[in-house]
Amino acid sequence: MSKALTTDVPPAAHAKAMRALDEFDSLVSQYEKLLDTQQVLVRTSNFAALFEMASRGDRLARDAALCGKRFTPLVDAVASGQFTGPRAAEIRRRSFAARSNAETLSGATSRLASACSSERDIMGREIRKSLPSGPQAGLPPAYRTDSQRFLDSRG
C-alpha cells in the first residue's frame, strides 16, 4: 500500500477548499433569495423588475461556476481515494452538500423559467384579445375603409 493512499488532505489545501466551499454556499444562498424574489415578481407580473434582476442572477451563476472550479480538482482527488482522513471526509461531505444545493437550484431555475413562459403566454393572449381583429386590423386608420365610412357619411 502506498503512502499517498493513506494520507489526509494537506492543511493548506483543506483550508483553501473550505474557503471555496464557504464562498459557494454564500453564492447559493444569494441565488436562492434572488430566485424567490423573481418568483414573486413573476406572480405579480412585474417583468420590468424581473428583467433588471436577470443580470444579477447571471453574475451569481458565473461566480458560483468559477468558485466550483477552484475546489473541483481536490474534490475529485478525494473521491478517487487519493486522500483519506478527517479533512478528506469533511471535503467529501461538504462537496456532496454543495452538489445537492446546485441541483436544487437548477430545479428552481427551471420552475422559474416555466413560470415566466406561462405568464408570457397568458399576457400574449390578453394582448391579442385587446387588439382589433379583422382583415384591416393591421392597417393605419387612414387606410382602413371602415374609418373612411364615418367621414363619408356626413359629406
Side-chain angles (χ1 to χ4, degrees), residues 81-146:
Q82 293 179 21
F83 298 103
T84 58
R87 290 187 295 262
E90 184 181 12
I91 289 172
R92 187 178 298 114
R93 180 186 57 79
R94 291 277 313 270
S95 67
F96 180 75
R99 186 173 305 129
S100 176
N101 286 338
E103 289 171 4
T104 300
L105 284 179
S106 177
T109 302
S110 296
R111 285 189 301 279
L112 177 63
S114 176
C116 284
S117 178
S118 176
E119 287 294 320
R120 181 197 65 216
D121 293 345
I122 290 169
M123 288 176 64
R125 284 192 292 275
E126 289 173 1
I127 289 171
R128 283 190 295 277
K129 285 179 187 177
S130 68
L131 293 175
S133 60
Q136 298 180 352
L139 295 174
Y143 293 101
R144 293 182 194 160
T145 57
D146 54 343

Side-chain angles (χ1 to χ4, degrees), residues 40-58:
V40 170
L41 293 173
V42 168
R43 279 187 242 125
T44 59
S45 298
N46 189 348
F47 291 103
L50 181 67
F51 293 133
E52 287 177 17
M53 296 181 85
S55 65
R56 184 168 173 231
D58 292 343

Side-chain angles (χ1 to χ4, degrees), residues 16-30:
K16 182 179 177 183
M18 289 299 109
R19 279 192 305 274
L21 284 162
D22 289 341
E23 182 181 339
F24 185 81
D25 289 344
S26 172
L27 291 168
V28 164
S29 176
Q30 291 175 42

